[in-house]
Amino acid sequence: MRRLGIALLALGFLLTGCSSEWQGEVRYKVLSLHESYESIPGSVKPAYAHLEIDGAEPQGAVEPVSPAVADLDKLPEGVAVGDVVVCPVRQYDENSYDGKGTEVTVGPCTAA
């Protein structure tokens, strides 16, 4: 019984060690702006922007932070193509074995 407990404890530590997380501030350049649209009747997708990193990739990120997509409500009002914004980015992969990939959140951003 004791061996089973030790094995389960070791497995728990192993699975806990499989998660990855990174967060930091990233400078992005706004490449394009897209208005909201209706993908399925009655289902409206929010307006969003395509972003590209303005500088070097940050060290320690789980995966590359560029290109990125952010909802327009996460960007400063009046943002235009070519503007540079600074955004908090969070990358989180709870379990690299589940095949879901890394979850990424971008914003809210401020003007650079």
Side-chain angles (χ1 to χ4, degrees), residues 3-35:
R3 286 184 184 175
L4 178 61
I6 291 172
L8 289 175
L9 184 61
L11 179 63
F13 284 126
L14 178 65
L15 292 176
T16 302
C18 296
S19 67
S20 304
E21 182 175 3
W22 178 86
Q23 50 189 353
E25 297 273 320
V26 179
R27 282 178 63 97
Y28 285 110
K29 186 173 188 177
V30 178
L31 293 181
S32 60
L33 300 171
H34 304 273
E35 296 302 319

Side-chain angles (χ1 to χ4, degrees), residues 22-98:
W22 178 86
Q23 50 189 353
E25 297 273 320
V26 179
R27 282 178 63 97
Y28 285 110
K29 186 173 188 177
V30 178
L31 293 181
S32 60
L33 300 171
H34 304 273
E35 296 302 319
S36 59
Y37 63 95
E38 192 171 327
S39 60
I40 300 173
S43 172
V44 177
K45 299 285 185 184
Y48 63 98
H50 282 163
L51 309 171
E52 182 176 78
I53 196 166
D54 185 44
E57 285 280 337
Q59 292 188 350
V62 176
E63 59 183 43
V65 298
S66 185
V69 174
D71 290 341
L72 282 185
D73 65 353
K74 300 288 184 187
L75 297 175
E77 191 172 323
V79 70
V81 172
D83 288 353
V84 176
V85 294
V86 177
C87 307
V89 177
R90 180 175 183 257
Q91 297 178 330
Y92 185 77
D93 189 355
E94 187 173 306
N95 178 356
S96 58
Y97 298 119
D98 63 7

